[in-house]
Amino acid sequence: MDLIIRNARLMAKDGQWDIGIAGDRVAAVERQIAADAGAQIDAQGNLVAPTYVNGHVHLDKCNLGDVMRPNKTNSFQECLEITWEHKRSYTVDDIVARASRAIEEGILNGTTVFRVFADVDSIGGLKPLEGILALRDKWKSTVRIEAVDFPQEGIVRDKGTFERMEEGMRMGADVIGGLPWHEWTDQDAQEHIDLCFTLAKKYDKDIHMLVDDTDNPNSRSLEYLAIKTLRESYRGRVAASHCGALAAYDMVHAHKVMALVKEAGVSISTNPHISLVAQGRYDKEPIRRGVTRVKDLWRLGVNLFSSQDDVNDPYYPFGRNDQQEVAAYVCHTCHMTYPNEMSAVFDFVTHNAAKALRLGDYGIEPGCWADLNILSAPTWHHVLRLQQPPNVVIRHGKVLARNALSRQIVSG
Ligand SMILES: [Zn+2]
């Protein structure tokens, strides 16, 4: 064995364990591994978990917050306009530089897989995707980056975007994006979904759409996405982010849609950072939280995951690209505060996200990739409570990052 992690606590296992790593894989998980290894790390009784998976993040526009002009009208419309101003003059180098800062933050926070959305539209053309493909290339030996071919300005309402998306697939994008609810009519939203499936099937790629990202109960693209997934036999290959409108439907309609989502095997990502600030804007008190029906979907057995979405951009001024912070936001916004609920949220940023992205060999079992975080507390509850980054981040058997925290009271 090349590396042994001693004295680790694991989710859903009592006591302390040793994890043996051979090459880039987990080789053994035992109470005490008798063998020696080239290197050892003492986890000191802290929780060890698979590295986090961030299944939805926009890195073409990240960190524009540092260079953009102020939003003078305090409006979402101006968020869009500021983004357009920058998008017209993006360069590949500029995108790679801004996005690399977010990737570095993500690594230090224990994430080694990023599904990165790149705008493809009539404003920036294919430049954002070019930038994200260059980012993927720059980081390819360090982390996994998936590039999503994402029609941020619509497909039906943004002429030429279907052709641009097809060019994006030829350039090497990994996933077909979508934004059906942004189209002007329900019929256009359905056509948008149909066009995305046409590309996905032609290039044999998975689909990840941002769906019904609104409090408007008349936004109803999720049900069509689920039905289309069933009709095209794409079960397990489709993810939908946001789905805020599902929370605004009446119970009867919501249950119909959730049953379809379950049957179609569509994974749902809730991204509470952005939902908390982007939704509920037309509400007088009480103001809604803008997140989808997380608990209902969870109880139904839908594959739920949770992602960062925005990092320091015109839409959202914060974001550390930190899946522990994302998990803590889910616990707060979705009332997931009891032990079994917190455990479920652990899966939202690890196993469920890996399932949505169809990552193979993910977990802490012999044969899995040795992609592990040695966390900074013995239990997931205290990881969430204390919000400290992992002590050690390991990818493919090699130490990728270490965080050292020095805190002491020097006089009393
Ligand atoms: Zn997004």
Side-chain angles (χ1 to χ4, degrees):
M1 265 179 262
D2 301 301
L3 171 65
I4 296 176
I5 300 168
R6 304 276 187 196
N7 308 311
R9 285 185 207 278
L10 301 170
M11 293 291 286
K13 270 193 162 95
D14 290 331
Q16 298 194 9
W17 297 78
D18 290 350
I19 303 164
I21 295 166
D24 50 16
R25 301 276 174 166
V26 174
V29 181
E30 295 169 14
R31 283 283 181 193
Q32 203 155 29
I33 296 175
D36 279 332
Q40 299 199 55
I41 300 175
D42 186 355
Q44 298 181 309
N46 287 312
L47 185 66
V48 175
T51 49
Y52 301 120
V53 176
N54 185 351
H56 173 176
V57 64
H58 298 265
L59 298 185
D60 49 354
K61 47 183 83 101
C62 76
N63 290 318
L64 285 179
D66 295 344
V67 293
M68 68 186 217
R69 65 175 173 80
N71 188 321
K72 299 189 196 77
T73 55
N74 290 7
S75 68
F76 183 73
Q77 179 59 31
E78 196 171 343
C79 297
L80 296 173
E81 289 164 10
I82 292 170
T83 310
W84 296 336
E85 288 164 21
H86 286 275
K87 189 151 59 173
R88 286 186 191 102
S89 56
Y90 283 162
T91 66
V92 168
D93 289 348
D94 156 51
I95 292 168
V96 171
R98 283 185 289 101
S100 289
R101 286 166 51 204
I103 292 288
E104 285 164 10
E105 286 174 354
I107 291 170
L108 288 167
N109 290 322
T111 301
T112 60
V113 179
F114 305 86
R115 179 173 273 185
V116 179
F117 285 64
D119 292 6
V120 171
D121 52 51
S122 58
I123 298 169
L126 286 152
K127 192 63 75 181
L129 180 60
E130 252 181 83
I132 297 306
L133 292 173
L135 181 82
R136 185 182 71 183
D137 196 49
K138 174 181 170 180
W139 288 93
K140 66 174 186 278
S141 61
T142 313
V143 292
R144 178 184 172 91
I145 291 175
E146 296 183 354
V148 184
D149 191 351
F150 174 58
Q152 171 77 74
E153 312 296 335
I155 301 176
V156 180
R157 66 184 266 185
D158 191 38
K159 294 294 168 229
T161 286
F162 179 77
E163 291 74 18
R164 285 182 204 100
M165 288 177 76
E166 176 138 39
E167 180 59 23
M169 296 321 294
R170 286 194 289 263
M171 285 162 59
D174 302 293
V175 178
I176 303 287
L179 190 69
W181 72 278
H182 186 56
E183 301 289 357
W184 292 120
T185 69
D186 292 349
Q187 198 178 4
D188 289 354
Q190 294 187 3
E191 188 182 340
H192 180 121
I193 291 169
D194 289 345
L195 289 168
C196 291
F197 271 88
T198 300
L199 281 180
K201 294 184 81 177
K202 182 169 177 185
Y203 291 90
D204 190 23
K205 298 292 184 187
D206 291 358
I207 293 172
H208 190 153
M209 298 199 188
L210 315 194
V211 177
D212 301 332
D213 188 10
T214 169
D215 302 314
N216 179 357
N218 298 310
S219 185
R220 291 172 45 158
S221 48
L222 182 58
E223 63 212 66
Y224 185 76
L225 177 65
I227 291 162
K228 182 76 178 170
T229 301
L230 285 168
R231 288 179 183 156
E232 300 292 347
S233 302
Y234 239 58
R235 199 172 196 287
R237 299 192 66 178
V238 177
S241 284
H242 302 303
C243 309
L246 178 61
Y249 300 160
D250 69 62
M251 285 303 291
V252 179
H253 188 62
H255 277 272
K256 173 192 147 181
V257 176
M258 289 190 292
L260 276 171
V261 165
K262 173 83 194 308
E263 193 184 342
V266 173
S267 294
I268 304 282
S269 174
T270 184
N271 312 321
H273 285 70
I274 187 69
S275 297
L276 280 169
V277 301
Q279 305 307 329
R281 290 278 173 168
Y282 293 97
D283 288 357
K284 303 297 175 196
E285 301 293 349
I287 295 171
R288 284 171 287 181
R289 297 167 182 218
V291 293
T292 192
R293 290 177 188 259
V294 167
K295 272 198 176 168
D296 290 339
L297 290 162
W298 171 51
R299 291 193 186 109
L300 202 59
V302 170
N303 186 52
L304 275 162
F305 65 113
S306 197
S307 325
Q308 172 73 67
D309 204 351
D310 292 85
V311 179
N312 187 25
D313 65 22
Y315 303 84
Y316 184 76
F318 313 113
R320 304 188 304 171
N321 210 5
D322 179 357
Q323 290 295 86
Q324 287 177 184
E325 187 181 80
V326 168
Y329 270 54
V330 175
C331 291
H332 285 78
T333 54
C334 307
H335 294 157
M336 305 280 278
T337 53
Y338 294 107
N340 63 325
E341 295 169 346
M342 282 191 269
S343 294
V345 173
F346 172 83
D347 291 339
F348 290 8
V349 292
T350 56
H351 296 280
N352 294 11
K355 184 179 175 193
L357 272 61
R358 297 202 299 140
L359 304 177
D361 301 335
Y362 180 90
I364 309 185
E365 304 287 338
C368 291
W369 290 109
D371 296 352
L372 305 168
N373 284 328
I374 301 176
L375 297 171
S376 58
T379 66
W380 177 239
H381 163 208
H382 292 290
V383 169
L384 289 176
R385 184 178 74 83
L386 297 167
Q387 288 292 305
Q388 299 300 328
N391 289 337
V392 184
V393 181
I394 294 167
R395 183 174 187 264
H396 288 14
K398 302 249 176 346
V399 172
L400 186 57
R402 288 179 187 272
N403 289 291
L405 181 69
S406 173
R407 302 172 77 199
Q408 50 185 177
I409 296 167
V410 293
S411 68

